[in-house]
Amino acid sequence: MSRQQGSFDLKSLSDRVAVVTGAGNNGIGWGICRHAISALGMRVAVLDLHERLVSDAAARLNDEFGNGCAIGVICDVTRPESLAAALDRIALDFPESSIGAVFANAGVIFNHTLLKSTAEEWATTLSVNVVGVVNTIQAFVPTLQAQKDDAIFCTTASVGGLVRGDGGAASYQASKHAVVALTEALSFELARKSPQVRIHVLCPCIVGTALGATSITNARVARGDVATHDIEPAKTSELLGLAQTPERHAQQVFDHIAAGNFYMVTENKPPYVDHEFPFDAKGIIRERMENMLQLDLDNSDAWVAGPNGPPSSILKGPLWQELKNRSGD
Ligand SMILES: NC(=O)c1ccc[n+]([C@@H]2O[C@H](COP(=O)([O-])OP(=O)(O)OC[C@H]3O[C@@H](n4cnc5c(N)ncnc54)[C@H](O)[C@@H]3O)[C@@H](O)[C@H]2O)c1
């Protein structure tokens, strides 16, 4: 019996193209782009919503690693025709290279509780985080299926897609649970038909990015309050030294790919950070699984204030305790 996963030789990605959506804001996608070029000898297509983001990212990559390794492509993942145009542009700009990896990584978060979140936030979150991933699958997977060589297709969910919902960002968590489920479905769908397309779901713990800020900025652009040409790459936060940097996080992503792990939970642990305060992803996932097997939902965390105020069943491991210490609470 064959499987899509199993160890993978990253050297086979050399000279091939990595396509990364949501890579223009110095976050997780940007780290993946840098690693794909510098460690694996890939070329990259940086996809994001605004001209300034993608041209700036491609220029910085070409300056650092040599002309011609990166292109920037404006792309809105909620629009299938925008992804189709991106695929055409990639074929035109990299005529000699096949696509070796696609990262459906674009996402948004609105940190509001269920009762305080708006219909607009729900619509945007489900449209970018869920339908945007489906659109990216439908745009790129047929090309990977038509190729003989192994290729990677990776969606970005979150550790939030594997744990219990809590009082934080209900729309985000619901969307990320959907990404996990639809990526499992994709793996099942392709297993026999196209085993050369290797499917992964990335479930990051905490990476120093500006996700909350980029989500608000993009919502303001969509409402017409800010012009797209005024958008500049975001400044990221390091969470007092406890977050993974996008670059070190990317190392963990490709270590998971090489190991053939389907659920790529990127824990805050050495060697990807310089501290011993993990997020404890597996412990928190286990709690949910054990609850489910007991047909029970343990809500005891709801009586304790979380690190940001509202109670949380997720943000409670050693990393958050240490964050409290470092911020002097
Ligand atoms: N940072 C973390 O700790 C963390 C943890 C778990 C999951 N994630 C996930 O990682 C992914 C990347 O987020 P990040 O943290 O690097 O933040 P980020 O803001 O750098 O990346 C998100 C990107 O998606 C882009 N985007 C939004 N809507 C889009 C659209 N319609 N079309 C194309 N691009 C669009 C944004 O412009 C932005 O560049 C997201 O899916 C996020 O949910 C992040």
Side-chain angles (χ1 to χ4, degrees):
M1 188 171 343
S2 71
R3 298 184 58 200
Q4 282 172 310
Q5 265 58 47
S7 64
F8 179 72
D9 184 2
L10 295 173
K11 288 197 210 81
S12 67
L13 294 175
S14 172
D15 285 331
R16 299 177 71 196
V17 180
V19 180
V20 190
T21 70
N25 268 307
N26 299 314
I28 286 175
W30 166 251
I32 288 172
C33 288
R34 290 198 79 231
H35 190 92
I37 299 172
S38 63
L40 306 177
M42 299 186 80
R43 291 147 219 272
V44 303
V46 176
L47 274 54
D48 214 308
L49 277 175
H50 312 294
E51 170 59 32
R52 207 135 151 209
L53 296 184
V54 296
S55 54
D56 185 280
R60 282 185 285 148
L61 291 167
N62 284 319
D63 280 354
E64 188 173 354
F65 300 114
N67 255 342
C69 67
I71 59 169
V73 185
I74 301 180
C75 179
D76 180 347
V77 298
T78 65
R79 294 174 47 230
E81 66 279 14
S82 183
L83 284 152
L87 178 61
D88 290 346
R89 164 82 194 283
I90 292 162
L92 203 66
D93 282 26
F94 293 125
E96 310 288 322
S97 307
S98 65
I99 297 180
V102 178
F103 292 88
N105 170 73
V108 294
I109 189 170
F110 299 102
N111 277 309
H112 293 136
T113 62
L114 203 45
L115 290 179
K116 291 203 173 136
S117 52
T118 65
E120 184 193 351
E121 288 169 0
W122 275 89
T124 305
T125 303
L126 296 179
S127 149
V128 177
N129 293 9
V130 184
V131 181
V133 171
V134 174
N135 290 339
T136 310
I137 290 168
Q138 292 183 344
F140 284 95
V141 166
T143 299
L144 306 186
Q145 287 182 289
Q147 297 176 172
K148 233 179 27 285
D149 292 336
D150 281 359
I152 307 298
F153 193 100
C154 175
T155 62
T156 302
S158 166
V159 69
L162 298 170
V163 299
R164 286 172 290 184
D166 72 1
S171 56
Y172 183 76
Q173 268 193 275
S175 74
K176 294 303 186 177
H177 274 263
V179 175
V180 171
L182 72 85
T183 312
E184 291 168 340
L186 179 65
S187 179
F188 192 88
E189 194 172 323
L190 298 188
R192 190 176 56 79
K193 228 186 316 185
S194 306
Q196 80 278 25
V197 187
R198 300 164 62 91
I199 310 299
H200 300 266
V201 59
L202 172 58
C203 300
C205 291
I206 301 299
V207 187
T209 73
L211 180 61
T214 65
S215 305
I216 291 168
T217 301
N218 288 333
R220 293 178 67 207
V221 174
R223 282 198 296 270
D225 296 345
V226 181
T228 180
H229 56 77
D230 286 335
I231 303 303
E232 292 186 10
K235 299 217 174 7
T236 57
S237 128
E238 292 172 4
L239 212 69
L240 301 175
L242 292 166
Q244 297 168 76
T245 64
E247 286 79 5
R248 290 173 79 179
H249 177 261
Q251 175 71 58
Q252 188 167 186
V253 170
F254 282 100
D255 286 350
H256 274 305
I257 290 174
N261 297 330
F262 175 81
Y263 300 101
M264 305 201 300
V265 176
T266 46
E267 177 58 88
N268 289 63
K269 65 178 182 191
Y272 310 107
V273 291
D274 297 322
H275 62 74
E276 299 279 354
F277 304 102
F279 183 92
D280 189 25
K282 284 191 181 166
I284 297 167
I285 293 166
R286 188 175 300 114
E287 271 184 21
R288 177 172 195 254
M289 294 299 167
E290 283 170 0
N291 271 205
M292 288 175 94
L293 293 173
Q294 300 298 322
L295 310 182
D296 179 34
L297 179 63
D298 175 356
N299 276 335
S300 51
D301 293 320
W303 275 261
V304 185
N308 301 328
S312 171
S313 65
I314 306 166
L315 311 182
K316 63 181 183 180
L319 184 146
W320 299 100
Q321 299 308 323
E322 178 60 14
L323 184 66
K324 248 174 141 179
N325 295 341
R326 290 190 187 185
S327 54
D329 282 5

